[in-house]
Amino acid sequence: MRQVSYQQHLRDFAIALLHGCSQIFLQRSTLVGAATLIGVLFGSVPMFIGGLIGLVTGTLMAIALRYNRADIDEGLYGYNPMLVGTGLFYFFDASPELVGVTIVAAGLSTWLLHVLLNRHVPALTLPFVTVTLTAIELINAFGLADPNPSPFIAAGELNPHTSFFLSFGQVMFLDSVFAGVIFFAALLAHKPVAALLAALGVLFSVVIALFVGISETQVNTGLFGFSAILCCLAFAERSWHAAFNAVIAASLATLCTVLAYAAGVVVLTLPFIVSTWLVMGVGRCWERQVE
């Protein structure tokens, strides 16, 4: 009986980890979770290690502190810490010091999510953005790790396929078409409407970015599409109303990303958070007026 119980606990823990990975794409799916891990592994081994450190730290902390078990099983305490770990190993060279910072930062993002959940705030990726931006400043201030050079992305004239799949890859900081293909394919297999809306988000992001004067080379990187993808996934339901909300949020997120790019400011997924909150807020106000 003990052996069975131990194996069951391991299985539940593994599923929680996979759900944590899939929640990055706002899904609850072991398929999407496994695809996320595979995509990151093929895209960057150091980022995979950093993401795994964050994912395991966040999930174990939630279990140790006896946070809501259903939320843990849903993967809600895994996705922000995983993004923190992936992000820090993207911006900085791997080192023992960075591992320590990642563990602390992942724990802080887990605690912050718990606070937001208890206050019924749609946290989305706010813990990741808050903790990661703070950690970047502290690491730079105290010289805790060497910064990674900006990745070179070979891109010239607009390539629809490159821009499309890199937009999905950039959700995980990955300059990898292969990773983008894996992420999109997993979404399509798990929830076709979510994948199609996400594709629509990429289309709008490309059109808007080009319209406001972003070069084709920069659009090819996918950096103007990943927040739009997340916005569309946040409203991924089978209705015209949901599709309308998704397009509005994706458009707003793209404009916010363009402004941040022009200002030279790192905002991570903040455009996604702000745009989604705004559309949700307007929608709730409208519903109250109708009632």
Side-chain angles (χ1 to χ4, degrees), residues 252-263:
L252 289 173
T254 303
L255 290 173
C256 289
T257 304
V258 169
L259 290 174
Y261 172 75

Side-chain angles (χ1 to χ4, degrees), residues 16-129:
L17 292 179
L18 289 175
H19 285 167
C21 297
S22 69
Q23 288 291 352
I24 293 172
F25 291 91
L26 287 82
Q27 308 297 311
R28 180 183 180 275
S29 164
T30 54
L31 171 63
V32 176
T36 302
L37 285 175
I38 293 171
V40 177
L41 178 61
F42 274 88
S44 169
V45 173
M47 288 169 62
F48 173 80
I49 294 172
L52 203 59
I53 291 171
L55 174 67
V56 173
T57 297
T59 305
L60 284 177
M61 177 177 168
I63 293 172
L65 295 179
R66 298 184 181 277
Y67 289 166
N68 184 280
R69 186 69 213 190
D71 290 340
I72 295 173
D73 293 340
E74 289 281 325
L76 297 185
Y77 288 106
Y79 73 98
N80 274 290
M82 182 175 184
L83 283 170
V84 169
T86 305
L88 292 179
F89 275 72
Y90 168 79
F91 287 108
F92 299 97
D93 283 336
S95 67
E97 292 82 3
L98 187 61
V99 170
V101 172
T102 300
I103 292 173
V104 173
L108 286 174
S109 71
T110 302
W111 169 80
L112 182 54
L113 178 67
H114 181 64
V115 171
L116 293 173
L117 286 177
N118 284 342
R119 285 162 176 72
H120 306 289
V121 176
L124 303 177
T125 54
L126 183 60
F128 152 64
V129 172

Side-chain angles (χ1 to χ4, degrees), residues 116-190:
L116 293 173
L117 286 177
N118 284 342
R119 285 162 176 72
H120 306 289
V121 176
L124 303 177
T125 54
L126 183 60
F128 152 64
V129 172
T130 304
V131 172
T132 302
L133 291 180
T134 302
I136 289 173
E137 291 300 319
L138 291 175
I139 291 172
N140 286 327
F142 293 98
L144 298 176
D146 295 326
N148 270 329
S150 298
F152 174 76
I153 301 176
E157 295 181 356
L158 182 65
N159 185 319
H161 296 95
T162 299
S163 179
F164 181 83
F165 289 116
L166 282 183
S167 293
F168 282 90
Q170 290 290 356
V171 172
M172 297 300 300
F173 303 95
L174 294 172
D175 171 26
S176 168
V177 170
F178 179 71
V181 170
I182 291 178
F183 297 158
F184 179 71
L187 284 170
L188 189 62
H190 171 64

